[in-house]
């Protein structure tokens, strides 16, 4: 027991080493949050283009661009994408956090797009016809009738995607961002104790995911009270 | 054509094919203000496609549809403006599950700029009284029975103050005991002078309420007449056969 306390002291208290985890957590949350926003905005856009094309034709060029994007981003590892962004495409950008946000956001958007598209396609065609028959235009029908229902249908799948994204940011250390994972690893390299820092990091991720899951569950319940 | 009758819709040689299957083979007719036209026919005959063409939910392959003198098949026409004057009621109700009953009724008038929120709210209250569902204003559609849903769907279409109402088999998805309440509201509408085009299997409604009954078969109007003549002296052999099965 006294050994554990001594290790704990050494790993987290001495030289304020807990700050590695705290600052790392801050970076992890910042990257994940901004990447989620980018993922949602871009993902919805791609989904709307793709489903508009699928259902009503048109938008051929945009649809083609979206398909190429989806194929490439879903077909290559996230880490390779991150490294390519950092060392090649965004080499002129010297804000590493921003590079990570763009890399993870673009990656996530590809998955969000397909999730949301499946949600849009799952809404009954009659909903669309009812909206249009009342004189609403395409955009109004999408915004007021189709997308809210689609969003509700795919919320569990979206939550899953964001949990994955949060954990995937743990590779940010590869472009030398001191994120949560890197923070634990720095402590390990200084104290030569792997157990506490790495389990500590794991527990923090776990708690984050549990909070996220609980939040989504609450949102789901609230959206569902309207319609059984 | 006969301008003195106040023609609302004029259909000229309407054709529609899906993947080389001809569903409508040249339909021409006129519908005047205040008329109640019942369309009957065997399933797959094209009667729903014909009805859905009248607000361009189906795009005709050829032919034209003049609504209040404007050819709505012309791509330069703002179809959204036209549809605001053409109410439609669907077999499957298609209420918006993410809006309350009153929200369903108010949505289009407010969003299209036809009414302010206050005006739309007042109109919705009036319509809810008219369809006898004032107590359901704030519930969501999932809480309603089929008959109630269809009555709300009618109210929703009426909220736009349309010049004509299209009904696509409005009672076919209902339990038998709920058919009456929906037909009753449609009868009232007809009495109030609303122009209506109704695709239906309710021969009683066609006989009692319609001013004209139309028999569509193989994508063509094969017979049309006043209900009295239509049901007592059918001429087309296919219609005779159809009536002998359904009556």
């Amino acid at each position: 027991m006294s050994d554990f306390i001594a290790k704990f002291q050494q790993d987290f208290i001495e030289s304020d080493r807990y700050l590695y985890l705290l600052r790392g957590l801050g970076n992890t949350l910042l990257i994940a949050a901004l990447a989620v926003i980018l993922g949602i905005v871009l993902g919805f856009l791609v989904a709307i283009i793709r489903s508009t094309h699928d259902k009503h034709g048109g938008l051929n060029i945009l649809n083609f661009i979206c398909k190429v994007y989806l194929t490439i981003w879903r077909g290559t590892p996230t880490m390779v994408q991150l490294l390519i962004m950092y060392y090649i495409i965004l080499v002129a950008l010297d804000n590493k956090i921003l590079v990570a946000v763009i890399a993870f956001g673009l990656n996530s958007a590809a998955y969000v797009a397909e999730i949301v598209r499946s949600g849009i396609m799952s809404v009954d065609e009659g909903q669309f016809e009812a909206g249009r028959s009342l004189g609403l235009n395409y955009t109004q029908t999408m915004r007021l009738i189709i997308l809210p229902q689609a969003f509700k249908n795919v919320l569990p799948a979206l939550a899953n995607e964001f949990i994955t994204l949060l954990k995937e940011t743990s590779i940010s250390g590869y472009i030398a961002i001191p994120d949560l994972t890197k923070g634990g690893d720095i402590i390990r390299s200084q104290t030569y104790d792997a157990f506490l820092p790495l389990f500590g990091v794991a527990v923090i991720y776990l708690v984050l995911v549990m909070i996220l899951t609980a939040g989504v569950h609450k949102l789901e319940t609230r959206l569902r009270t309207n319609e059984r | 054509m006969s301008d003195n009758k106040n023609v609302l819709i004029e259909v000229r040689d309407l054709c529609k094919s899906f993947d080389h299957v001809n569903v409508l083979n040249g339909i021409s007719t006129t519908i005047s203000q205040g008329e109640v036209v019942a369309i009957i026919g065997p399933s797959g005959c094209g009667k729903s496609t014909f009805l859905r063409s009248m607000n361009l939910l189906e795009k005709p392959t050829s032919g034209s549809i003049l609504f209040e003198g404007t050819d709505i098949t012309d791509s330069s026409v703002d179809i959204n403006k036209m549809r605001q004057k053409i109410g439609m009621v669907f077999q499957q109700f298609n209420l918006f599950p993410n809006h309350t009953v009153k929200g369903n009724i108010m949505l289009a008038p407010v969003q299209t700029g036809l009414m302010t929120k206050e005006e739309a709210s007042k109109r919705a209250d009036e319509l809810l009284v008219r369809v006898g569902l004032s107590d359901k204003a704030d519930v969501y559609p999932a809480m309603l029975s089929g008959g109630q849903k269809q009555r709300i769907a009618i109210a929703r279409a009426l909220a736009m103050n349309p010049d004509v109402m299209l009904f696509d088999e409005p009672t076919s998805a209902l339990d038998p005991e709920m058919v009456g309440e929906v037909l009753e509201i449609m009868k009232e509408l007809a009495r109030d002078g609303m122009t209506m085009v109704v695709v239906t299997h309710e021969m009683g409604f066609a006989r009692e309420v319609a001013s004209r009954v139309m028999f569509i078969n193989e994508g063509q109007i094969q017979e049309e007449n006043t209900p009295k003549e239509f049901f007592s002296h059918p001429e087309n052999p296919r219609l005779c056969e159809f009536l002998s099965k359904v009556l």
Side-chain angles (χ1 to χ4, degrees):
Chain A
M1 190 62 201
S2 60
D3 186 45
F4 178 86
I5 293 170
K7 281 255 167 75
F8 188 90
Q9 280 270 347
Q10 186 199 17
D11 286 337
F12 301 123
I13 314 295
E14 254 175 47
S15 325
D16 286 341
R17 289 205 177 94
Y18 72 93
L19 283 178
Y20 286 118
L21 295 188
L22 203 61
R23 290 190 187 124
L25 175 62
N27 282 336
T28 292
L29 288 178
L30 181 66
I31 293 168
L34 293 179
V36 162
I37 293 170
L38 181 59
I40 287 183
V41 172
L42 195 65
F44 266 78
L45 203 69
V46 171
I48 290 167
I49 291 169
R50 296 261 294 118
S51 52
T52 301
H53 170 84
D54 286 358
K55 276 175 149 178
H56 311 284
L59 302 180
N60 288 328
I61 296 169
L62 278 175
N63 183 57
F64 179 75
I65 294 170
C66 290
K67 268 172 107 165
V68 170
Y69 159 69
L70 293 178
T71 306
I72 294 174
W73 261 263
R74 293 197 302 163
T76 52
T78 315
M79 193 158 110
V80 176
Q81 292 170 17
L82 179 70
L83 293 174
I84 289 176
M85 281 290 170
Y86 182 63
Y87 287 110
I88 304 166
I89 298 174
L90 298 176
V91 72
L93 187 65
D94 66 353
N95 184 334
K96 282 186 283 204
I97 298 273
L98 199 56
V99 173
V101 167
I102 293 171
F104 290 121
L106 284 177
N107 180 269
S108 186
Y111 293 92
V112 170
E114 287 300 272
I115 292 171
V116 173
R117 187 173 71 93
S118 76
I120 292 173
M121 301 307 269
S122 76
V123 176
D124 184 59
E125 185 63 19
Q127 291 289 308
F128 189 81
E129 292 184 347
R132 295 309 303 273
S133 78
L134 286 163
L136 299 175
N137 63 32
Y138 185 86
T139 317
Q140 288 169 324
T141 308
M142 266 310 207
R143 181 169 55 85
L144 300 163
I145 298 161
I146 308 297
L147 286 179
Q149 295 182 57
F151 180 73
K152 200 195 58 146
N153 290 349
V154 300
L155 195 59
L158 274 183
N160 217 5
E161 166 55 26
F162 296 140
I163 287 168
T164 306
L165 172 64
L166 175 72
K167 292 181 295 177
E168 251 178 6
T169 60
S170 64
I171 59 172
S172 300
Y174 277 91
I175 62 168
I177 292 175
D179 74 325
L180 180 57
T181 306
K182 189 77 184 171
D185 202 44
I186 290 170
I187 298 174
R188 179 196 57 76
S189 69
Q190 291 181 354
T191 63
Y192 303 108
D193 176 33
F195 188 88
L196 275 180
L198 294 185
F199 270 101
V201 165
V203 167
I204 296 174
Y205 277 113
L206 183 62
V207 170
L208 287 180
V209 169
M210 285 166 73
I211 293 171
L212 198 61
T213 310
V216 170
H217 181 73
K218 239 184 155 164
L219 183 60
E220 240 179 280
T221 325
R222 225 187 65 195
L223 287 173
R224 214 172 341 148
T225 47
N226 296 346
E227 349 159 357
R228 288 156 312 156
Chain B
M1 281 211 142
S2 45
D3 281 9
N4 52 339
K5 265 208 309 184
N6 242 340
V7 172
L8 203 59
I9 299 174
E10 183 176 347
V11 180
R12 288 182 193 153
D13 202 22
L14 188 70
C15 294
K16 170 74 182 178
S17 52
F18 294 102
D19 299 323
H20 307 296
V21 178
N22 295 333
V23 181
L24 301 180
N25 293 312
I27 287 192
S28 298
T29 190
T30 57
I31 292 162
S32 304
Q33 203 160 14
E35 264 197 290
V36 177
V37 180
I39 303 176
I40 65 170
S43 68
C45 70
K47 55 193 192 299
S48 277
T49 305
F50 173 49
L51 189 81
R52 289 160 54 82
S53 299
M54 282 194 248
N55 67 352
L56 234 58
L57 282 185
E58 301 291 352
K59 251 186 143 54
T61 312
S62 67
S64 58
I65 300 162
L66 274 68
F67 175 72
E68 296 178 346
T70 310
D71 185 359
I72 61 169
T73 62
D74 186 341
S75 57
S76 67
V77 167
D78 182 357
I79 188 64
N80 298 319
K81 276 269 174 289
M82 292 291 139
R83 282 177 177 150
Q84 289 173 23
K85 296 187 201 164
I86 307 173
M88 184 151 194
V89 174
F90 300 86
Q91 183 178 356
Q92 297 295 338
F93 331 124
N94 296 340
L95 292 182
F96 307 132
N98 57 324
H99 294 273
T100 61
V101 161
K102 197 169 169 182
N104 266 273
I105 301 174
M106 288 172 60
L107 186 74
V110 173
Q111 293 295 331
T112 56
L114 187 72
M115 298 176 197
T116 64
K117 257 208 164 103
E118 291 70 33
E119 289 167 346
S121 171
K122 208 172 140 245
R123 177 85 177 121
D125 289 335
E126 289 167 12
L127 287 165
L128 283 168
V129 171
R130 188 163 173 185
V131 298
L133 290 169
S134 297
D135 55 326
K136 302 290 184 190
D138 298 319
V139 307
Y140 284 87
M143 308 290 288
L144 302 177
S145 71
Q148 291 171 332
K149 280 181 190 169
Q150 198 60 300
R151 282 147 72 191
I152 296 301
I154 293 171
R156 178 176 70 178
L158 288 173
M160 293 297 288
N161 297 322
D163 295 340
V164 58
M165 288 279 283
L166 310 177
F167 293 85
D168 190 3
E169 302 195 25
T171 57
S172 296
L174 295 175
D175 288 343
E177 55 177 339
M178 292 171 180
V179 170
E181 58 187 88
V182 172
L183 289 181
E184 200 46 53
I185 286 173
M186 291 170 63
K187 280 181 201 168
E188 267 172 45
L189 261 182
R191 272 200 294 273
D192 293 347
M194 175 61 80
T195 312
M196 295 161 68
V197 185
V198 187
V199 171
T200 187
H201 295 295
E202 295 293 328
M203 295 305 144
F205 177 84
R207 197 198 297 258
E208 237 183 278
V209 185
S211 51
R212 175 162 44 128
V213 186
M214 193 182 274
F215 176 67
I216 293 187
N217 187 36
E218 290 170 347
Q220 287 174 323
I221 301 175
Q222 296 197 334
E223 184 151 346
E224 58 180 325
N225 217 328
T226 60
K228 204 166 165 242
E229 283 299 304
F230 186 92
F231 287 107
S232 53
H233 302 107
E235 283 167 10
N236 180 286
R238 185 66 185 86
L239 172 60
C240 297
E241 188 197 332
F242 179 76
L243 288 177
S244 72
K245 278 184 197 155
V246 295
L247 287 178

